[in-house]
Amino acid sequence: MTVIHTAIMLRRALRLASLLFLIVAIPGAGAAQADDVPLRWWLQVVQADGEPLVSVPMPPSAGWCMAWNHSVEGFTVNDCYRNRNGRMVLERSHLPDFAAGLDHIPGRGRQRSDGHGGYWIEDIDEPVPGNRYRLRVGGPAVNHRLISRGTPELETLVQRARQRGLPVQLPRSGDADMTPISLSDTAADRAVTVQLIERDPADP
């Protein structure tokens, strides 16, 4: 092997080592940076006096569902939302039965069976006007509640905010890091506003 050939092989080895370093090191650095991303977007449930009943981080691409029990039939209905780049978007709903007032509206999403006698309405993709809507919270039997939808789960988002010293608001301090987050436990028969807001991460 000539000196020139040896030098070429050495340069190739160095380039390969550099490439392996980028493949291994950069994802780790990216993960660390992801943990440092400011939690600007928050899902809130605000009471009539302006005080938040619930305030949890909801970064872009994260989702949640508002679950509630049908007042007549008793089964659970899910309305599922996502933060799409700062817009609260209703993406899909699950209805276990064709109960009164819950029929699929033609032209609003795509209906498919859930295989258990109920159905999903997929691809609704409706931005919520003003990123907020009013809700009359039902009593204990109805139990309006926020539940996780995919990852990150609500528990993870709450814990992440607490680790950064950010103020999380939940109805029951005893179940601070657990879901579902029941609104009916503390706000039954009251009107609230469910909203997605952007706030300065430096605000207390």
Side-chain angles (χ1 to χ4, degrees), residues 115-126:
H116 302 284
Y119 61 98
W120 281 98
I121 303 175
E122 304 277 10
D123 304 324
I124 299 176
D125 296 333
E126 289 182 356

Side-chain angles (χ1 to χ4, degrees), residues 5 7 11 51-52 59 61 64 76 78 85 95 107 115-116 129 151 161 167 174 177:
H5 185 65
R11 283 198 298 270
E51 287 296 315
S61 80
W64 72 95
T76 300
N78 285 289
N85 297 315
L95 305 106
H116 302 284
T151 55
D177 295 335

Side-chain angles (χ1 to χ4, degrees), residues 92-127:
R92 65 198 304 233
S93 292
H94 181 250
L95 305 106
D97 196 358
F98 286 92
L102 297 179
D103 294 344
H104 173 227
I105 301 173
R108 183 177 183 265
R110 174 176 53 86
Q111 179 180 317
R112 71 170 178 83
S113 170
D114 66 0
H116 302 284
Y119 61 98
W120 281 98
I121 303 175
E122 304 277 10
D123 304 324
I124 299 176
D125 296 333
E126 289 182 356

Side-chain angles (χ1 to χ4, degrees), residues 138-156:
V142 173
N143 190 21
H144 278 100
R145 56 204 182 273
L146 296 170
I147 64 174
S148 296
R149 181 186 178 196
T151 55
E153 296 180 339
L154 289 173
E155 295 97 323
T156 301

Side-chain angles (χ1 to χ4, degrees), residues 66-78:
M66 179 70 75
W68 49 280
N69 304 326
H70 191 272
S71 59
V72 176
E73 303 295 336
F75 53 62
T76 300
V77 178
N78 285 289

